[in-house]
Amino acid sequence: MCPTSNGSGPELEKFPDAPPSISVTAAEEVPDAGLRSLDHYKRKLPTWRYKSRQRLLPLIRWETPYLAWMQDKMRSPALDSYFAITANLGTHTFFMVVLPILFWCGHTSLGRGMVHILATGVFLTGFLKDMFSLPRPLSPPLHRITMSGSAALEYGFPSTHSANAVSVAVYALFTIHSPDCQLSANTKMLLEVVSYSYAFSIILGRLYCGMHGFLDVIIGSILGALISVIECVYGSHIDKFLYSSSWLAPATVAIVIIALIRVHPEPADDCPCFDDSVAFAAVMIGVELGGWHYAVGNWAWDVPVPATVPFDLEHMGWPIVVARVVVGVLVIFVWREVMKPTLLKCLPHLFRVIEKSGLILPRKFFMPASEYKKIPSRLKVDNVMPSVSDLPGLLDSIRHPGRGRAVSVGPQSAADAYETLAYREKRRRDSLTSSSGDFEVGRVGPRSLSSPPKDYFSSLPKSDDKDGFVSQVSGISATLGAIGHENLPTPAQSRLGTYEQMMGQGQVLITPATPPESADGSKLEDKSELMDQNELEEKEMFLRLEKPRVRYDVEVVTKLVVYTGIAWLAVEINPMIFEIIGLGMGQEFKPIH
């Protein structure tokens, strides 16, 4: 069953061979007519960013048919569920839940290192995503398999999942083989296999699920590896300097991070990458400020690293450990549930006063405080950490993991729609340019381009692509055309050609007008009618996109405060609460310095 409109995103697809359909809700704004897709990024991006994007875009288009071929060869219901579920192991939510537990269980060095590499990876990949504004590989021909509705709204290059997975795997391998590691040889071998398998599974899953291309995961993996290497080589020296310095050191780190948030590139489309970058940047600030303050007090151990949370499993026992985790998570949820609505209610008044003085630096796609009166009370500000109201759905997805998996075909974001329309127009122009006298203009005009094949995973009809001139965009069809009549294309080449034909074929309900006939009966291309049709197709495409939520200017500061507080609670406040309520080491275990 193809995805149908339900106002909330794609539905589960049960029959992958069905024609493509798009989950639809009316968009709040429809771009003006006139094929804005063709020069949208040229108008929205600075020249140097636009030129960089144009250099990389052909690579993404070229690899898409190969990704579709790989996905078609591997698809099965079991793998769909496996890769959709395991993708959660590379999400921000997973790490935000796991990282505090590392601190509470005495693994402060490991927890701090993980925060450094993950926060840097999320921020850097989000920075590059918004800078280049490159789309994900086109759907169709790819089917997108996901359990997260917001993931498809982001740009594709580079892959944050791949950066996270590789950085964690590399960091784990460094830790396993460090001289300080006291694990047995068999345990080290097991953890090494788990690390390699984890990274490989996440990377392959991003390709299998149609969410990323080869370029996305390669660059993301390289960034993740480099970040972990830098942390493993220089991290301990940086921490030693920070925790032996005055309060100016962590304060300087916080100021630098806030400055980086301010210079984060403006995206060409409404992309949520910036939200995730802000959340993890705030976590880094909280860990550094809270860790430094915890280290200079009388609650923490300085062994093996400064600001170590007192912990001994033999002395405390598993019931105490479980109770610590439960209490710690509850404190974090209470903080989030209290501070978020409080800030969203109070900050708009302050922002309006500042805005009148002209000191506010507005950011695109965020509504300024002067344009709204109040913010909805149950606004879902982010997807990084679930709220209390999200817990029932989260628990249900854990009990029934396959139920939340959705398979969709067709544009899901503005970036998808612009790329679909731009590729469709490029195909039309290239076909007109490369066509010989054997092809009449009407045949390669908008009708053949906007009407998807009946069966997306069948070979080309015998009457089409006879001479290999159709779909000369990515280079594959050009190869088929060069083969000639004597050397027919192989089945694999024909299949790749079919996938390429499907690119830019998102389902459009408007039927193109038939080109008028001249006096001698031949078909002529009426440019005015063609333009009208293109305008209709573009409007139709954007009307079918899922409506992005309104984002408010105060959300950035809200995220900074809330997630800085969450990190501070994790590294200092909660460990102090554990000692006060009897879930700590007790008075007989004095702080070790």
Side-chain angles (χ1 to χ4, degrees), residues 54 81 137 251 261 270 299 314 321 351 425 474-475 499 527 538:
Q54 292 305 102
S81 297
I261 292 174
D270 192 353
W299 297 86
E314 292 185 5
V321 174
F351 271 54
E425 177 65 11
S474 68
Y499 294 132
K527 293 185 178 180
E538 182 168 353

Side-chain angles (χ1 to χ4, degrees), residues 119-140:
T120 304
V122 170
F123 187 89
L124 183 56
T125 54
F127 193 98
L128 294 175
K129 282 180 178 181
D130 282 351
M131 176 181 289
F132 292 107
S133 300
L134 284 164
R136 296 181 185 272
L138 275 175
S139 170

Side-chain angles (χ1 to χ4, degrees), residues 54-107:
Q54 292 305 102
R55 292 189 184 98
L56 293 173
L57 186 57
L59 292 175
I60 295 175
R61 292 175 172 177
W62 172 82
E63 66 184 3
T64 299
Y66 295 94
L67 292 166
W69 176 84
M70 184 187 79
Q71 187 186 63
D72 189 30
K73 288 292 185 182
M74 296 178 62
R75 281 291 296 277
S76 71
L79 287 179
D80 282 6
S81 297
Y82 171 77
F83 284 119
I85 293 169
T86 55
N88 294 318
L89 300 179
T91 60
H92 316 328
T93 303
F94 172 75
F95 292 117
M96 288 294 288
V97 172
V98 171
L99 290 178
I101 298 175
L102 293 177
F103 287 94
W104 302 336
C105 294
H107 300 292

Side-chain angles (χ1 to χ4, degrees), residues 99-100 103-104 108 111-112 115 243 283 285-295 300 307-309 332 564-576:
L99 290 178
F103 287 94
W104 302 336
T108 300
R112 192 181 298 154
V115 167
Y243 290 100
V283 169
I285 294 173
V287 165
E288 300 305 336
L289 292 176
W292 179 87
H293 192 263
Y294 189 48
T308 296
V309 177
I332 288 177
T564 297
I566 288 175
W568 202 316
L569 285 169
V571 301
E572 181 183 23
I573 306 300
N574 274 347
M576 294 168 61

Side-chain angles (χ1 to χ4, degrees), residues 440-454:
E440 54 187 22
V441 174
R443 185 175 176 185
V444 292
R447 174 179 291 278
S448 61
L449 299 174
S450 59
S451 301
K454 293 181 179 179

Side-chain angles (χ1 to χ4, degrees), residues 331-408:
V331 170
I332 288 177
F333 271 106
V334 169
W335 162 265
R336 186 180 186 276
E337 291 299 308
V338 171
M339 285 305 299
K340 188 190 81 170
T342 301
L343 291 171
L344 291 178
K345 184 176 182 180
C346 298
L347 285 178
H349 303 290
L350 176 62
F351 271 54
R352 291 186 189 106
V353 173
I354 300 175
E355 190 177 344
K356 290 180 180 179
S357 65
L359 298 178
I360 288 289
L361 296 176
R363 187 173 179 87
K364 280 194 299 186
F365 307 111
F366 284 83
M367 182 182 294
S370 60
E371 296 183 10
Y372 60 87
K373 292 184 178 179
K374 60 181 296 186
I375 299 175
S377 57
R378 301 307 302 173
L379 177 69
K380 188 175 179 63
V381 172
D382 59 72
N383 298 296
V384 177
M385 191 168 187
S387 62
V388 173
S389 60
D390 296 327
L391 291 180
L394 185 63
L395 294 175
D396 185 66
S397 65
I398 294 174
R399 290 195 300 268
H400 309 284
R403 188 174 293 176
R405 172 173 61 86
V407 183
S408 61

Side-chain angles (χ1 to χ4, degrees), residues 529-545:
E529 289 194 17
L530 176 58
M531 180 58 68
D532 291 341
Q533 178 56 39
N534 288 334
E535 292 173 2
L536 288 172
E537 288 183 358
E538 182 168 353
K539 286 183 178 181
E540 183 74 14
M541 183 74 71
F542 281 90
L543 280 170
R544 286 177 165 272
L545 292 179

